[in-house]
Amino acid sequence: DVKVTQSSRYLVKRTGEKVFLECVQDMDHENMFWYRQDPGLGLRLIYFSYDVKMKEKGDIPEGYSVSREKKERFSLILESASTNQTSMYLCASSWTETGYTFGSGTRLTVV
Amino acid sequence: RKEVEQDPGPFNVPEGATVAFNCTYSNSASQSFFWYRQDCRKEPKLLMSVYSSGNEDGRFTAQLNRASQYISLLIRDSKLSDSATYLCVPATDSWGKLQFGAGTQVVVTP
């Protein structure tokens, strides 16, 4: 089975901190994605990547950046955490023609 | 109009009964579709892929109506473990980027 591993299950950070969320997949997938999920809003795409060192903005990129230095790793960076970034963050990976496999998520609270 | 619309529910279903719900999508170019299930406070997991008019997997049947631009999911002989939120996902992006619906909650009761 494809495994997508997110480094932390729960995180609590202070406003203004720089936050790194790490995601690693083990099946050589081309595509990787970062979503956030909030009640009533569903999953919203933050950033995605189709290849190493390649990144594309999703629907809500403001306040976030990403890094993909190796094919298996896709990092989400909150440059200066704010309380409105409190959310569940989900990483996913896939081949182009298939559905996603998700990581177990990181529940981030910014205080 | 939203790209993907789902009735949020909840659909309260007695154990053993059949439940069905729809998902409408706006992009007529969508070629493939996915249904995901998401348990409370867990990640979404792929339930079913639909590449033609429909798909069946055990107690789960998905049917696609391209003319009316909706896809349905039917669950027969509901189990308590079927309680979850079901996310509809049309694939509209040739590079594999998916647009998720907000989900339909199903609650199966004893």
PDB file of all heavy atoms in Angstrom, chain B residues 1-5 23-30 33 68-70 90 92 99:
ATOM      1  N   ARG B   1     -22.151  29.247  -9.384  1.00  0.00           N
ATOM      2  CA  ARG B   1     -22.450  27.844  -9.044  1.00  0.00           C
ATOM      3  C   ARG B   1     -21.165  27.138  -8.632  1.00  0.00           C
ATOM      4  O   ARG B   1     -20.122  27.303  -9.250  1.00  0.00           O
ATOM      5  CB  ARG B   1     -23.040  27.134 -10.255  1.00  0.00           C
ATOM      6  CG  ARG B   1     -23.429  25.690  -9.977  1.00  0.00           C
ATOM      7  CD  ARG B   1     -23.944  25.010 -11.240  1.00  0.00           C
ATOM      8  NE  ARG B   1     -24.188  23.598 -10.990  1.00  0.00           N
ATOM      9  CZ  ARG B   1     -24.537  22.728 -11.924  1.00  0.00           C
ATOM     10  NH1 ARG B   1     -24.673  23.120 -13.158  1.00  0.00           N
ATOM     11  NH2 ARG B   1     -24.742  21.470 -11.631  1.00  0.00           N
ATOM     12  N   LYS B   2     -21.226  26.365  -7.538  1.00  0.00           N
ATOM     13  CA  LYS B   2     -20.062  25.622  -7.098  1.00  0.00           C
ATOM     14  C   LYS B   2     -19.721  24.543  -8.112  1.00  0.00           C
ATOM     15  O   LYS B   2     -20.597  24.019  -8.802  1.00  0.00           O
ATOM     16  CB  LYS B   2     -20.338  24.968  -5.751  1.00  0.00           C
ATOM     17  CG  LYS B   2     -20.431  25.955  -4.596  1.00  0.00           C
ATOM     18  CD  LYS B   2     -20.647  25.187  -3.300  1.00  0.00           C
ATOM     19  CE  LYS B   2     -20.762  26.129  -2.115  1.00  0.00           C
ATOM     20  NZ  LYS B   2     -21.019  25.407  -0.864  1.00  0.00           N
ATOM     21  N   GLU B   3     -18.431  24.180  -8.173  1.00  0.00           N
ATOM     22  CA  GLU B   3     -18.024  23.126  -9.108  1.00  0.00           C
ATOM     23  C   GLU B   3     -18.611  21.782  -8.731  1.00  0.00           C
ATOM     24  O   GLU B   3     -18.927  20.966  -9.591  1.00  0.00           O
ATOM     25  CB  GLU B   3     -16.506  23.042  -9.149  1.00  0.00           C
ATOM     26  CG  GLU B   3     -15.853  24.218  -9.858  1.00  0.00           C
ATOM     27  CD  GLU B   3     -14.403  23.950 -10.200  1.00  0.00           C
ATOM     28  OE1 GLU B   3     -14.087  22.850 -10.683  1.00  0.00           O
ATOM     29  OE2 GLU B   3     -13.584  24.847  -9.993  1.00  0.00           O
ATOM     30  N   VAL B   4     -18.721  21.537  -7.442  1.00  0.00           N
ATOM     31  CA  VAL B   4     -19.245  20.264  -6.963  1.00  0.00           C
ATOM     32  C   VAL B   4     -20.236  20.568  -5.841  1.00  0.00           C
ATOM     33  O   VAL B   4     -19.899  21.283  -4.902  1.00  0.00           O
ATOM     34  CB  VAL B   4     -18.124  19.367  -6.406  1.00  0.00           C
ATOM     35  CG1 VAL B   4     -18.686  18.008  -6.019  1.00  0.00           C
ATOM     36  CG2 VAL B   4     -17.002  19.221  -7.428  1.00  0.00           C
ATOM     37  N   GLU B   5     -21.437  20.032  -5.945  1.00  0.00           N
ATOM     38  CA  GLU B   5     -22.438  20.278  -4.910  1.00  0.00           C
ATOM     39  C   GLU B   5     -22.969  18.966  -4.366  1.00  0.00           C
ATOM     40  O   GLU B   5     -23.318  18.052  -5.131  1.00  0.00           O
ATOM     41  CB  GLU B   5     -23.589  21.117  -5.462  1.00  0.00           C
ATOM     42  CG  GLU B   5     -23.155  22.523  -5.864  1.00  0.00           C
ATOM     43  CD  GLU B   5     -24.313  23.513  -5.922  1.00  0.00           C
ATOM     44  OE1 GLU B   5     -25.008  23.684  -4.914  1.00  0.00           O
ATOM     45  OE2 GLU B   5     -24.500  24.106  -6.991  1.00  0.00           O
ATOM     46  N   CYS B  23     -24.521  13.772  -6.300  1.00  0.00           N
ATOM     47  CA  CYS B  23     -23.526  14.827  -6.352  1.00  0.00           C
ATOM     48  C   CYS B  23     -23.642  15.450  -7.743  1.00  0.00           C
ATOM     49  O   CYS B  23     -23.596  14.725  -8.741  1.00  0.00           O
ATOM     50  CB  CYS B  23     -22.142  14.227  -6.140  1.00  0.00           C
ATOM     51  SG  CYS B  23     -20.760  15.257  -6.667  1.00  0.00           S
ATOM     52  N   THR B  24     -23.806  16.747  -7.813  1.00  0.00           N
ATOM     53  CA  THR B  24     -23.845  17.422  -9.114  1.00  0.00           C
ATOM     54  C   THR B  24     -22.532  18.150  -9.358  1.00  0.00           C
ATOM     55  O   THR B  24     -21.906  18.663  -8.421  1.00  0.00           O
ATOM     56  CB  THR B  24     -25.011  18.424  -9.206  1.00  0.00           C
ATOM     57  OG1 THR B  24     -24.857  19.393  -8.154  1.00  0.00           O
ATOM     58  CG2 THR B  24     -26.343  17.723  -9.058  1.00  0.00           C
ATOM     59  N   TYR B  25     -22.129  18.162 -10.612  1.00  0.00           N
ATOM     60  CA  TYR B  25     -20.869  18.813 -10.960  1.00  0.00           C
ATOM     61  C   TYR B  25     -21.102  19.747 -12.133  1.00  0.00           C
ATOM     62  O   TYR B  25     -22.000  19.531 -12.952  1.00  0.00           O
ATOM     63  CB  TYR B  25     -19.784  17.766 -11.278  1.00  0.00           C
ATOM     64  CG  TYR B  25     -20.118  16.844 -12.425  1.00  0.00           C
ATOM     65  CD1 TYR B  25     -19.690  17.125 -13.725  1.00  0.00           C
ATOM     66  CD2 TYR B  25     -20.866  15.684 -12.212  1.00  0.00           C
ATOM     67  CE1 TYR B  25     -20.002  16.290 -14.776  1.00  0.00           C
ATOM     68  CE2 TYR B  25     -21.177  14.846 -13.265  1.00  0.00           C
ATOM     69  CZ  TYR B  25     -20.747  15.142 -14.534  1.00  0.00           C
ATOM     70  OH  TYR B  25     -21.054  14.311 -15.586  1.00  0.00           O
ATOM     71  N   SER B  26     -20.287  20.779 -12.224  1.00  0.00           N
ATOM     72  CA  SER B  26     -20.553  21.815 -13.227  1.00  0.00           C
ATOM     73  C   SER B  26     -19.694  21.676 -14.479  1.00  0.00           C
ATOM     74  O   SER B  26     -20.069  22.186 -15.543  1.00  0.00           O
ATOM     75  CB  SER B  26     -20.327  23.202 -12.617  1.00  0.00           C
ATOM     76  OG  SER B  26     -18.976  23.343 -12.198  1.00  0.00           O
ATOM     77  N   ASN B  27     -18.560  20.988 -14.376  1.00  0.00           N
ATOM     78  CA  ASN B  27     -17.659  20.897 -15.513  1.00  0.00           C
ATOM     79  C   ASN B  27     -17.993  19.673 -16.358  1.00  0.00           C
ATOM     80  O   ASN B  27     -17.715  18.532 -15.977  1.00  0.00           O
ATOM     81  CB  ASN B  27     -16.214  20.825 -15.030  1.00  0.00           C
ATOM     82  CG  ASN B  27     -15.213  20.984 -16.166  1.00  0.00           C
ATOM     83  OD1 ASN B  27     -15.508  20.681 -17.317  1.00  0.00           O
ATOM     84  ND2 ASN B  27     -14.023  21.442 -15.843  1.00  0.00           N
ATOM     85  N   SER B  28     -18.591  19.928 -17.521  1.00  0.00           N
ATOM     86  CA  SER B  28     -19.015  18.823 -18.378  1.00  0.00           C
ATOM     87  C   SER B  28     -17.834  18.046 -18.953  1.00  0.00           C
ATOM     88  O   SER B  28     -18.009  16.974 -19.514  1.00  0.00           O
ATOM     89  CB  SER B  28     -19.887  19.353 -19.519  1.00  0.00           C
ATOM     90  OG  SER B  28     -19.162  20.307 -20.281  1.00  0.00           O
ATOM     91  N   ALA B  29     -16.623  18.587 -18.822  1.00  0.00           N
ATOM     92  CA  ALA B  29     -15.437  17.900 -19.345  1.00  0.00           C
ATOM     93  C   ALA B  29     -14.917  16.823 -18.400  1.00  0.00           C
ATOM     94  O   ALA B  29     -13.980  16.097 -18.745  1.00  0.00           O
ATOM     95  CB  ALA B  29     -14.330  18.916 -19.618  1.00  0.00           C
ATOM     96  N   SER B  30     -15.506  16.710 -17.220  1.00  0.00           N
ATOM     97  CA  SER B  30     -15.043  15.699 -16.256  1.00  0.00           C
ATOM     98  C   SER B  30     -15.152  14.316 -16.875  1.00  0.00           C
ATOM     99  O   SER B  30     -16.198  13.935 -17.391  1.00  0.00           O
ATOM    100  CB  SER B  30     -15.884  15.760 -14.976  1.00  0.00           C
ATOM    101  OG  SER B  30     -15.760  17.022 -14.371  1.00  0.00           O
ATOM    102  N   PHE B  33     -14.361  10.042 -12.084  1.00  0.00           N
ATOM    103  CA  PHE B  33     -14.931  10.475 -10.818  1.00  0.00           C
ATOM    104  C   PHE B  33     -14.475   9.538  -9.707  1.00  0.00           C
ATOM    105  O   PHE B  33     -14.203   8.353  -9.939  1.00  0.00           O
ATOM    106  CB  PHE B  33     -16.470  10.456 -10.890  1.00  0.00           C
ATOM    107  CG  PHE B  33     -17.014  11.351 -11.958  1.00  0.00           C
ATOM    108  CD1 PHE B  33     -17.047  10.930 -13.280  1.00  0.00           C
ATOM    109  CD2 PHE B  33     -17.465  12.620 -11.656  1.00  0.00           C
ATOM    110  CE1 PHE B  33     -17.525  11.756 -14.284  1.00  0.00           C
ATOM    111  CE2 PHE B  33     -17.947  13.452 -12.645  1.00  0.00           C
ATOM    112  CZ  PHE B  33     -17.977  13.023 -13.957  1.00  0.00           C
ATOM    113  N   SER B  68     -27.198  14.876 -17.258  1.00  0.00           N
ATOM    114  CA  SER B  68     -27.664  15.766 -16.200  1.00  0.00           C
ATOM    115  C   SER B  68     -26.539  16.186 -15.256  1.00  0.00           C
ATOM    116  O   SER B  68     -26.778  16.933 -14.308  1.00  0.00           O
ATOM    117  CB  SER B  68     -28.766  15.083 -15.394  1.00  0.00           C
ATOM    118  OG  SER B  68     -29.865  14.770 -16.227  1.00  0.00           O
ATOM    119  N   GLN B  69     -25.356  15.688 -15.511  1.00  0.00           N
ATOM    120  CA  GLN B  69     -24.162  16.050 -14.752  1.00  0.00           C
ATOM    121  C   GLN B  69     -24.304  15.779 -13.266  1.00  0.00           C
ATOM    122  O   GLN B  69     -24.145  16.685 -12.420  1.00  0.00           O
ATOM    123  CB  GLN B  69     -23.749  17.501 -15.030  1.00  0.00           C
ATOM    124  CG  GLN B  69     -23.286  17.705 -16.452  1.00  0.00           C
ATOM    125  CD  GLN B  69     -22.730  19.076 -16.753  1.00  0.00           C
ATOM    126  OE1 GLN B  69     -22.818  19.564 -17.862  1.00  0.00           O
ATOM    127  NE2 GLN B  69     -22.158  19.739 -15.759  1.00  0.00           N
ATOM    128  N   TYR B  70     -24.653  14.528 -12.966  1.00  0.00           N
ATOM    129  CA  TYR B  70     -24.604  14.139 -11.576  1.00  0.00           C
ATOM    130  C   TYR B  70     -24.122  12.705 -11.467  1.00  0.00           C
ATOM    131  O   TYR B  70     -24.196  11.909 -12.409  1.00  0.00           O
ATOM    132  CB  TYR B  70     -25.950  14.319 -10.866  1.00  0.00           C
ATOM    133  CG  TYR B  70     -27.026  13.331 -11.232  1.00  0.00           C
ATOM    134  CD1 TYR B  70     -27.120  12.096 -10.579  1.00  0.00           C
ATOM    135  CD2 TYR B  70     -27.971  13.624 -12.214  1.00  0.00           C
ATOM    136  CE1 TYR B  70     -28.100  11.187 -10.900  1.00  0.00           C
ATOM    137  CE2 TYR B  70     -28.954  12.726 -12.542  1.00  0.00           C
ATOM    138  CZ  TYR B  70     -29.017  11.506 -11.878  1.00  0.00           C
ATOM    139  OH  TYR B  70     -29.995  10.620 -12.224  1.00  0.00           O
ATOM    140  N   PRO B  90     -15.065  14.907  -8.863  1.00  0.00           N
ATOM    141  CA  PRO B  90     -14.857  14.792 -10.301  1.00  0.00           C
ATOM    142  C   PRO B  90     -13.425  15.182 -10.659  1.00  0.00           C
ATOM    143  O   PRO B  90     -12.884  16.128 -10.069  1.00  0.00           O
ATOM    144  CB  PRO B  90     -15.852  15.802 -10.891  1.00  0.00           C
ATOM    145  CG  PRO B  90     -16.266  16.688  -9.772  1.00  0.00           C
ATOM    146  CD  PRO B  90     -15.805  16.092  -8.485  1.00  0.00           C
ATOM    147  N   THR B  92     -11.271  16.871 -13.204  1.00  0.00           N
ATOM    148  CA  THR B  92     -11.416  17.781 -14.344  1.00  0.00           C
ATOM    149  C   THR B  92     -10.077  18.260 -14.874  1.00  0.00           C
ATOM    150  O   THR B  92     -10.012  18.900 -15.897  1.00  0.00           O
ATOM    151  CB  THR B  92     -12.239  19.013 -13.931  1.00  0.00           C
ATOM    152  OG1 THR B  92     -11.592  19.655 -12.830  1.00  0.00           O
ATOM    153  CG2 THR B  92     -13.638  18.607 -13.524  1.00  0.00           C
ATOM    154  N   GLN B  99     -11.042  18.292  -7.445  1.00  0.00           N
ATOM    155  CA  GLN B  99     -11.902  19.262  -6.763  1.00  0.00           C
ATOM    156  C   GLN B  99     -12.884  18.491  -5.901  1.00  0.00           C
ATOM    157  O   GLN B  99     -13.700  17.743  -6.412  1.00  0.00           O
ATOM    158  CB  GLN B  99     -12.651  20.102  -7.809  1.00  0.00           C
ATOM    159  CG  GLN B  99     -13.467  21.235  -7.222  1.00  0.00           C
ATOM    160  CD  GLN B  99     -12.600  22.393  -6.775  1.00  0.00           C
ATOM    161  OE1 GLN B  99     -11.599  22.709  -7.409  1.00  0.00           O
ATOM    162  NE2 GLN B  99     -12.968  23.023  -5.679  1.00  0.00           N
TER     163      GLN B  99
END
